Amino acid sequence: MNPVSYEIIDQIGVIAVNNPPVNALSFAVRSGIQAALRAAQDDASKAILIICEGGTFFAGADISEFGKPPKEPYLPDLIDEIEASGKLVVAAMHGTALGGGFEVALGCHYRIALDTARVGLPEVKLGLLPGAGGTQRVPRLVGIAAALQLILDGAPIPAIAAAEAGLVDKIVSGDLRVAALAYVQELVARNAATRRTSELNVPAADEQVFAATRIAVAKSARGQTAPLRIIESVQASLLPFAAGRKRERELFVDCMQDPQSVALQHLFFAEREAARIKDLPRDIGKRRIERVAIIGAGTMGGGIAMCFANAGFDVTLLEINADALARGLSIVEKNYAGSVQRGKLSEEDAGACRARIHGVTDYDALADVDLVIEAVFEDPQLKKGIFAKLDAVCRRGAILATNTSYQDVDAIAAATGRPEDVIGMHFFSPAHIMKLLEVVRGEKTAGDVLATVMALGKKIGKVPVMSGVCYGFIGNRMLQGYFREAQLCLIEGSTPEDIDAALYDWGMAMGPISVADLAGLDVGYKARQALAPDQRGDPRSYRVPDALVAAGRLGQKSGAGFYRYDPATRAKSADPEVMQIVEREAQALGIQRAPIDANEIVERLIFALINEGMNILDEGIAQRPGDIDVVYAYGYGFPAWRGGPMHYADTIGLNYVIERIEEFRERYGSNNWQPASLLKTLVANNSSLARWAE
Ligand code: 3H9
């Protein structure tokens, strides 16, 4: 079916596009628009309106066509043709006019939008630049500095703000089609000019802005190539339009061929795919969730309560006594005050969200809630006791969730008489900020409970990924090998700074040693103590952490861990005392310390992560390699532009990964290094994870 229709209404040629779900500018859409545009040049219409049906104006170029041979008409050429039209062309926007979609609007002579619409150029998030004239037309309309900000940020802005900036001409409410037709009539009546943005001059700008932005981007988008190309392309808007457009095209092609863009596109689709549970029908019925209760008003519980309150849910927050509750609620208040201070929430909105959270100390208050999330200490007995109580007080059909990071969800479910209603919802700290939500499916979790929680995760602004039950689920289980290698590198010869710098420079948001200090060394210590000695991993890998805990160095919170922290600024510095402890422990183990180069450190840590990811796939704990990538990009500071650990493994080649793992096995022993059997199979078949997942 042709997604583009054309008809003349009251002398206006209306090009209407209907290409669900988001009106992406696919080949069929581009050619349909071109044919209609050409037909309109010679018919009785006096002006042309481009409008979309469904939920949104064009959300951009069709990303699923990227990487395939491009088909004419190319989007930039089509947009130039629109702009060159002898008859007036107007774009009418609703929903999200994004990327190539917004560029279509910028090529039109006038732009009208619904007051609820948002517009933007999110290409940078896909490792691209707005390659259909966006980097050339936006500076002509709003100037260099504002253009750089919009395009480098990538976040959509309200159409009303875009109108104030000069990117949109008219804002309307109600029926867009009616309003847009009236607007075009008005333009025709006043003989409005065919205003071509490409003919405008870029407002004069201080050229310093480019150098300053490059410096800022080197920090905010560390390691990424697209932002630098965006700056260059915007700079090219100072040239005559045709030359600037040519440069934009070249830089766009460079982006398209860059593995960073391939990685970011992979994550875009992986994130959407992760929301789907392979063995559940897409239209499975879901339970109604309106009232939510959280047990435990600690850092996690309070943060989770905020997530739901911010999304409009009524939240009951339960603590064991009035003092603990007051402490928890005061942290919530402090967090809201912080959000207001940082400009994330208005005073009024923060007040409204805060008012949705009601503190209680009695389980009877949970009798009618639709969902309970337990967020107390990682103590299995405590958790089981709580679930037995919930079983007694909660209404039938309520979903009972645990926020445990490690515990056996099936054992917790068995403490109730309704294991089918029990599920894991593993939030990441700080819960009101971090996007990842691991949804842990117990052996008996009902399909509708799982589907409800996955959908709910999206509703509260999280990226939900399903995990099966195992120690640490997807993310924390993989981290064990990663942290083990970090600690082994430390005791074998590196310093905390060497290890952190190696991983940070490679692209991780934070080095592993700093992460341990941030999380608290006592947390890992307690987790180890709860395990049988043979489950704790290589004893050499916790000699130093145990010694630090024994010395009262618990990490950032105690002012000292692997580093020392300034009590006022929290600035960290190297601590010779730590190196003395490291030397002492190494000596006790008979280890001759010798420096390890940065590449070796990175490979030991990242390949440990990849290898465990392979085991997780083999066991069916994760549904797909992309799910693991989403977990790591959203929850563990893995550089999104490397696509996540599993995509990265494919990029560098599984052959290389296994070769190095086998070398590590030779050198460091088979206890820590056993190539995963899936890795062996894929290498034997000359295959990749991407092919395996198809
Ligand atoms: C670009 O335009 C380059 C140009 O500058 C230059 C060209 C020369 N293409 O997110 P959702 C699918 S780059 C193909 O769940 P929501 C998506 O995969 C592009 N498919 O919905 C999903 O499919 P499925 C710049 C797309 O309501 C379905 O639509 N534009 C595209 O939460 C629903 O998506 C962007 O980067 C696409 N462009 O959010 C915008 N977009 O159901 C990217 C979506 O099979 N898109 N799909 O899983 C978005 O940000 C969000 O999808 C949007 C809707 C806000 C539009």
Side-chain angles (χ1 to χ4, degrees):
M1 226 180 64
N2 187 349
V4 182
S5 68
Y6 177 71
E7 62 179 322
I8 299 177
I9 302 173
D10 294 337
Q11 297 185 310
I12 312 292
V14 179
I15 301 178
V17 180
N18 186 13
N19 182 32
V22 297
N23 285 314
L25 286 148
S26 62
F27 164 69
V29 171
R30 295 193 306 273
S31 25
I33 295 174
Q34 187 180 55
L37 184 73
R38 288 181 179 175
Q41 299 304 313
D42 304 316
D43 66 17
S45 64
K46 290 202 164 152
I48 300 160
L49 175 67
I50 300 181
I51 191 163
C52 290
E53 286 164 19
T56 183
F57 192 70
F58 310 110
D62 188 336
I63 305 169
S64 64
E65 286 181 359
F66 291 174
K68 298 177 187 156
K71 286 205 259 180
E72 292 189 49
Y74 305 138
L75 189 58
D77 300 338
L78 174 64
I79 293 173
D80 286 353
E81 194 172 332
I82 292 172
E83 196 184 53
S85 160
K87 287 184 185 173
L88 198 74
V89 189
V90 178
M93 297 179 276
H94 72 296
T96 39
L98 300 179
F102 189 44
E103 289 173 298
V104 168
L106 293 172
C108 293
H109 305 130
Y110 293 85
R111 290 163 284 283
I112 178 172
L114 268 190
D115 53 0
T116 50
R118 288 182 308 144
V119 305
L121 296 164
E123 284 85 344
V124 67
K125 296 183 181 167
L126 296 169
L128 298 172
L129 55 83
T135 64
Q136 306 304 300
R137 289 192 176 91
V138 175
R140 285 175 162 76
L141 290 169
V142 301
I144 295 285
L148 282 171
Q149 199 189 345
L150 181 79
I151 302 172
L152 286 170
D153 185 52
I157 58 170
I160 295 174
E164 280 160 11
L167 291 163
V168 173
D169 301 295
K170 192 172 173 73
I171 298 289
V172 291
S173 55
D175 188 326
L176 178 64
R177 199 178 159 97
V178 172
L181 283 168
Y183 180 53
V184 185
Q185 295 289 6
E186 179 199 317
L187 291 169
V188 170
R190 69 171 149 97
N191 224 352
T194 43
R195 261 181 354 179
R196 298 192 173 97
T197 304
S198 64
E199 291 170 2
L200 299 175
N201 287 322
V202 175
D206 182 351
E207 293 243 2
Q208 287 293 348
V209 69
F210 296 110
T213 310
R214 276 194 181 90
I215 292 169
V217 152
K219 208 167 153 209
S220 63
R222 187 164 48 91
Q224 295 183 47
T225 49
L228 298 173
R229 295 195 177 112
I230 285 171
I231 297 170
E232 194 180 338
S233 196
V234 170
Q235 197 158 11
S237 71
L238 297 169
L239 303 171
F241 184 79
R245 257 274 272 107
K246 184 164 168 279
R247 188 70 194 120
E248 178 192 77
R249 185 75 203 154
E250 289 161 0
L251 290 162
F252 181 77
V253 171
D254 288 348
C255 284
M256 281 293 250
Q257 289 169 352
D258 192 318
Q260 292 197 3
S261 179
V262 178
L264 289 162
Q265 288 171 41
H266 157 76
L267 274 179
F268 176 85
F269 287 115
E271 178 186 334
R272 280 146 188 88
E273 186 88 21
R276 285 195 263 282
I277 308 301
K278 283 183 179 173
D279 62 346
L280 290 184
R282 272 203 195 200
D283 56 354
I284 186 168
K286 299 188 185 65
R287 298 191 188 179
R288 204 199 51 199
I289 305 289
E290 279 162 12
R291 279 160 306 169
V292 178
I294 316 293
I295 300 180
T299 316
M300 267 332 264
I304 299 170
M306 288 176 73
C307 294
F308 282 93
N310 296 354
F313 289 86
D314 231 11
V315 183
T316 304
L317 187 57
L318 184 141
E319 254 300 352
I320 41 170
N321 59 47
D323 279 354
L325 183 61
R327 253 196 321 273
L329 287 172
S330 78
I331 297 174
V332 167
E333 245 138 54
K334 227 169 80 190
N335 285 341
Y336 275 125
S339 302
V340 172
Q341 219 169 32
R342 289 194 309 276
K344 298 270 174 208
L345 273 180
S346 70
E347 189 99 41
E348 197 188 347
D349 288 346
C353 293
R354 166 65 191 86
R356 288 189 200 109
I357 304 175
H358 315 279
V360 298
T361 52
D362 187 348
Y363 273 78
D364 288 343
L366 311 188
D368 294 323
V369 299
D370 306 310
L371 165 71
V372 187
I373 303 172
E374 163 278 306
V376 304
F377 303 123
E378 287 290 5
D379 174 343
Q381 290 317 318
L382 177 64
K383 287 185 192 279
K384 284 180 197 161
I386 288 172
F387 273 76
K389 262 193 225 163
L390 292 176
D391 194 20
V393 299
C394 291
R395 67 165 181 80
R396 290 279 127 196
I399 297 179
L400 312 180
T402 170
N403 172 55
T404 181
S405 333
Y406 288 98
Q407 310 290 328
D408 180 346
V409 173
D410 292 330
I412 294 172
T416 73
R418 38 172 135 168
E420 66 281 5
D421 293 340
V422 177
I423 193 163
M425 289 178 79
H426 180 208
F427 289 80
F428 289 71
S429 187
H432 60 296
I433 293 173
M434 293 291 284
K435 298 276 280 178
L436 178 64
L437 174 66
E438 269 183 329
V439 175
V440 187
R441 179 187 204 167
E443 197 192 330
K444 297 192 174 148
T445 305
D448 68 334
V449 168
L450 177 59
T452 304
V453 171
M454 293 296 287
L456 188 65
K458 201 168 174 199
K459 202 162 168 188
I460 59 169
K462 301 293 175 201
V463 178
V465 179
M466 188 190 77
S467 169
V469 175
C470 64
Y471 186 75
F473 316 127
I474 297 174
N476 284 345
R477 171 169 160 183
M478 285 168 65
L479 216 48
Q480 285 178 304
Y482 177 84
F483 278 154
R484 177 198 72 218
E485 289 306 310
Q487 288 304 322
L488 290 176
C489 288
L490 180 64
I491 205 155
E492 286 168 20
S494 306
T495 64
E497 303 88 288
D498 292 337
I499 298 164
D500 278 349
L503 274 298
Y504 181 82
D505 291 346
W506 185 79
M508 296 297 289
M510 203 188 252
I513 306 287
S514 292
V515 169
D517 266 0
L518 182 65
L521 302 188
D522 53 329
V523 175
Y525 178 81
K526 281 189 202 134
R528 276 194 298 283
Q529 295 308 309
L531 293 172
D534 64 334
Q535 292 174 322
R536 292 179 194 164
D538 188 336
R540 293 172 306 161
S541 70
Y542 48 84
R543 285 290 289 230
V544 174
D546 279 2
L548 293 176
V549 171
R553 306 181 65 116
L554 307 183
Q556 269 199 28
K557 62 183 162 193
S558 70
F562 286 99
Y563 296 96
R564 182 158 287 286
Y565 296 89
D566 184 295
T569 62
R570 280 209 242 159
K572 73 176 174 202
S573 53
D575 191 342
E577 220 175 278
V578 171
M579 288 319 294
Q580 282 168 12
I581 294 175
V582 172
E583 303 273 0
R584 186 189 74 206
E585 295 303 324
Q587 218 165 34
L589 291 168
I591 294 172
Q592 283 284 334
R593 287 174 42 81
I596 305 171
D597 78 52
N599 184 51
E600 176 100 355
I601 295 174
V602 168
E603 292 194 343
R604 283 176 66 175
L605 271 71
I606 299 295
F607 290 3
L609 208 60
I610 293 169
N611 202 42
E612 196 57 19
M614 295 274 180
N615 289 328
I616 280 174
L617 286 170
D618 217 11
E619 292 168 29
I621 297 292
Q623 295 191 95
R624 338 167 164 85
D627 288 18
I628 297 180
D629 291 333
V630 172
V631 165
Y632 264 79
Y634 282 107
Y636 293 85
F638 195 96
W641 51 270
R642 291 196 191 268
M646 309 322 281
H647 176 86
Y648 177 67
D650 265 356
T651 315
I652 56 174
L654 300 184
N655 268 325
Y656 179 70
V657 174
I658 203 164
E659 208 175 275
R660 291 292 280 154
I661 289 180
E662 269 160 4
E663 263 177 65
F664 295 152
R665 183 176 55 184
E666 292 282 298
R667 229 183 299 155
Y668 306 115
S670 55
N671 280 347
N672 292 341
W673 292 102
Q674 268 308 338
S677 67
L678 177 61
L679 176 60
K680 286 198 262 187
T681 311
L682 291 174
V683 170
N685 296 334
N686 204 10
S687 189
S688 66
L689 279 166
R691 248 172 285 149
W692 176 80
E694 273 165 11

